[in-house]
Amino acid sequence: MLFNKDASAQSSKEIKLITLDPGHFHAALVQKNMYQEVSPEVRVYAPAGTDLDFHLQRIQGYNTRKDNPTQWQEKVYTGNDYLEKMLADKAGNVVVIAGNNRIKADYLQKSVNAGFNVLADKPMIINGGDFEQLKQTFAAAAQKNVLLYDIMTERYEISTMLQREFSMLPGAFGKLEKGTPDNPAVTKESVHHFYKYVSGSVLTRPAWFMDIAQQGEGIVDVNTHLVDLIQWECFPHQVIDYKKDIRINDARHWTTDMTLSQFKAITKLAGFPDYLKKDVVKDTLLKVFCNGEINYQLKGIHAKASVIWAYQAPEGGGDTHYSIMRGTKANLIIRQGAEQNYKPTLYIEPVTKAASYEADLLKALAVVQKQYPGVSLKKNAKGWEVEIPEKYKEGHEAHFGRVTEKYLEFLKQGKLPAWEVPNMLAKYYTTTQALKVATKTR
């Protein structure tokens, strides 16, 4: 059974959330909005401390905002046995896990083995040693008929969704190139920032976020999104077998340096904790291995995924994304730099000289418009810019609600699409194998 009948008997709602050890702000973003089928009462099991305090403050902020306030009722347990208590209480049927990645593999496994559905923030694992455990956890989920799913928000970014749609229309895109290691068929690059605003306030980061032993390196953290998108866009609805479809060509990683004053600004701490001393130079400079690049082959297609962390975005800027899919007729490119006012913008740039291409593209546009009314094309020197109505541009925080809504649909159906679990395994195999390659070449 997907739903715990005893737990839901306390409410007319069918689904009751449990939040386990919410160390990352993504745990709160799942609750930025209410859901019709979800009880407003949420059980929270966590150690007492600032991570929990910040989480509850964010939920309270959603409950007290002027526009569309939420009505969450947080019931909190903070004993040292919080995990055992959660497993024993069975006070809900969906566990939300977003926090310290060092212990996430154990949280996932124990929650699934106890019969809970799990909605987990990325990454599910941060090293190759946990891959076999993740495989076992997915096998247990299938046996117990519960759904284990990770939060892939980037699938709901409209420019990416339209890049995928146009890539599936041969008239506009042709076929996906095979590419080479030096000129991949698909490239995705994501730039992130330690100092950032979330829900209108400067985000306070836990100190462990800068510890690769706890948060994981960038190559296995943010790159999870990029590898997921490459699979999702290049091979939609297709099963990927990590044992035969993936080959790592090479991978590398490097550090972002953070001064003590910068560290203090985002953590509100007086100094570096002991567990970060291993990464500190001359007591004042923290070196974080948060940057990484993977060059690999996926079903014979050459792909590159890279993540870069800066301390703070330029004025007016924020996290950015660059992506290119190279087709035999056109390249589909997402740019998000100063020229685009740091807003993701999709371009279609033809590589074919065929006189019929524009007519074929307009036919493809008509297909896209059936699903996305209002989308249009604007000519430029290199081809076309895809003009996207504002109503589709929701922003990163809203995407957590989209993922949660999709997960709730899967719960109603009692299953995930057949390709989701094997492709989650393929994704984490790719990132953790790339980490092995990168650390060997350090």
Side-chain angles (χ1 to χ4, degrees):
M1 292 294 295
L2 286 173
F3 302 119
N4 182 322
K5 298 294 186 184
D6 294 333
S8 59
Q10 302 170 35
S11 168
S12 60
K13 305 288 188 178
E14 198 171 13
I15 296 171
K16 200 163 188 182
L17 299 179
I18 297 170
T19 306
L20 176 60
D21 193 6
H24 197 289
F25 70 94
H26 289 175
L29 287 175
V30 169
Q31 293 175 242
K32 193 172 182 182
N33 299 293
M34 306 294 291
Y35 308 93
Q36 187 175 358
E37 55 273 75
V38 177
S39 168
E41 182 177 295
V42 179
R43 297 294 188 98
V44 182
Y45 296 84
T50 55
D51 284 357
L52 175 61
D53 294 341
F54 286 135
H55 174 75
L56 296 176
Q57 288 168 20
R58 291 181 187 113
I59 301 299
Q60 181 63 15
Y62 301 149
N63 281 345
T64 57
R65 68 191 177 204
K66 284 186 177 181
D67 296 330
N68 193 26
T70 52
Q71 295 89 40
W72 298 111
Q73 303 158 22
E74 304 290 299
K75 307 293 184 183
V76 183
Y77 179 84
T78 57
N80 291 334
D81 62 341
Y82 65 91
L83 177 59
E84 293 75 15
K85 180 72 170 167
M86 184 206 83
L87 298 174
D89 282 354
K90 287 187 163 50
N93 40 42
V94 174
V95 180
V96 176
I97 299 175
N100 192 310
N101 294 323
R102 178 181 57 82
I103 48 181
K104 192 178 284 181
D106 286 335
Y107 280 173
L108 298 177
Q109 187 169 53
K110 288 175 180 175
S111 298
V112 165
N113 286 345
F116 292 103
N117 301 285
V118 177
L119 181 61
D121 191 32
K122 63 82 195 153
M124 286 182 167
I125 57 172
I126 58 173
N127 60 70
D130 289 337
F131 183 74
E132 287 302 316
Q133 184 177 5
L134 184 62
K135 281 176 58 181
Q136 294 167 12
T137 302
F138 273 114
Q143 185 179 19
K144 293 179 177 293
N145 195 25
V146 296
L147 303 188
L148 171 59
Y149 193 60
D150 61 356
I151 300 175
M152 291 289 101
T153 50
E154 296 307 309
R155 295 185 190 177
Y156 297 85
E157 207 294 309
I158 185 61
S159 62
T160 300
M161 295 165 76
L162 291 173
Q163 185 182 44
R164 182 178 188 249
E165 291 299 318
F166 277 107
S167 76
M168 292 190 286
L169 298 170
F173 184 63
K175 293 182 179 179
L176 184 64
E177 294 277 11
K178 294 284 187 185
T180 66
D182 294 331
N183 188 19
V186 186
T187 297
K188 289 190 176 289
E189 179 184 283
S190 186
V191 180
H192 287 253
H193 303 89
F194 287 105
Y195 186 100
K196 67 189 297 185
Y197 286 85
V198 172
S199 300
S201 301
V202 176
L203 176 64
T204 300
R205 301 251 187 210
W208 58 257
F209 188 80
M210 276 62 74
D211 181 15
I212 61 172
Q214 299 183 70
Q215 176 63 21
E217 292 202 21
I219 203 168
V220 291
D221 180 19
V222 175
N223 253 350
T224 307
H225 279 305
L226 307 185
V227 172
D228 179 79
L229 290 180
I230 289 169
Q231 296 179 171
W232 183 72
E233 291 190 69
C234 296
F235 301 99
H237 311 301
Q238 295 182 43
V239 169
I240 295 169
D241 182 346
Y242 76 88
K243 294 179 181 177
K244 64 180 183 182
D245 291 335
I246 296 164
R247 178 182 169 188
I248 307 296
N249 293 333
D250 66 71
R252 64 188 185 97
H253 65 169
W254 63 99
T255 64
T256 292
D257 296 347
M258 186 182 301
T259 65
L260 179 58
S261 61
Q262 289 175 327
F263 178 82
K264 290 177 179 179
I266 59 172
T267 64
K268 308 297 189 288
L269 297 179
F272 298 122
D274 288 342
Y275 57 75
L276 282 176
K277 297 292 176 63
K278 66 185 186 304
D279 303 320
V280 174
V281 177
K282 296 181 180 177
D283 297 326
T284 59
L285 194 67
L286 176 66
K287 290 182 169 289
V288 188
F289 268 100
C290 50
N291 309 290
E293 179 180 287
I294 311 172
N295 287 277
Y296 68 110
Q297 293 176 55
L298 175 65
K299 287 182 176 282
I301 299 293
H302 286 271
K304 182 170 79 170
S306 56
V307 58
I308 297 167
W309 279 84
Y311 180 73
Q312 188 173 357
E315 187 68 31
D319 294 352
T320 63
H321 180 72
Y322 169 80
S323 171
I324 181 170
M325 297 180 72
R326 298 198 301 110
T328 54
K329 289 187 177 180
N331 296 329
L332 304 175
I333 307 171
I334 297 171
R335 299 185 178 99
Q336 193 180 354
E339 185 181 339
Q340 292 77 32
N341 294 317
Y342 300 103
K343 306 293 185 185
T345 306
L346 175 62
Y347 299 92
I348 300 175
E349 299 182 356
V351 295
T352 177
K353 303 292 186 184
S356 61
Y357 178 75
E358 184 168 358
D360 291 340
L361 175 61
L362 293 176
K363 289 178 185 175
L365 174 64
V367 174
V368 171
Q369 287 172 332
K370 289 178 183 177
Q371 189 171 355
Y372 300 97
V375 170
S376 60
L377 297 176
K378 181 174 72 173
K379 264 196 171 181
N380 60 30
K382 294 182 179 179
W384 290 265
E385 176 186 332
V386 180
E387 295 192 299
I388 303 171
E390 287 299 316
K391 64 181 179 180
Y392 296 121
K393 300 176 183 178
E394 296 180 317
H396 180 60
E397 293 186 22
H399 298 158
F400 286 84
R402 294 294 185 193
V403 176
T404 304
E405 288 167 356
K406 179 62 69 174
Y407 181 67
L408 295 175
E409 286 179 26
F410 296 150
L411 287 174
K412 287 180 193 173
Q413 296 163 8
K415 62 181 180 179
L416 296 171
W419 53 271
E420 281 281 20
V421 170
N423 291 14
M424 279 188 273
L425 287 171
K427 171 173 55 188
Y428 289 110
Y429 175 82
T430 301
T431 57
T432 56
Q433 287 295 308
L435 177 63
K436 287 183 179 180
V437 173
T439 49
K440 282 179 183 175
T441 56
R442 185 151 93 191

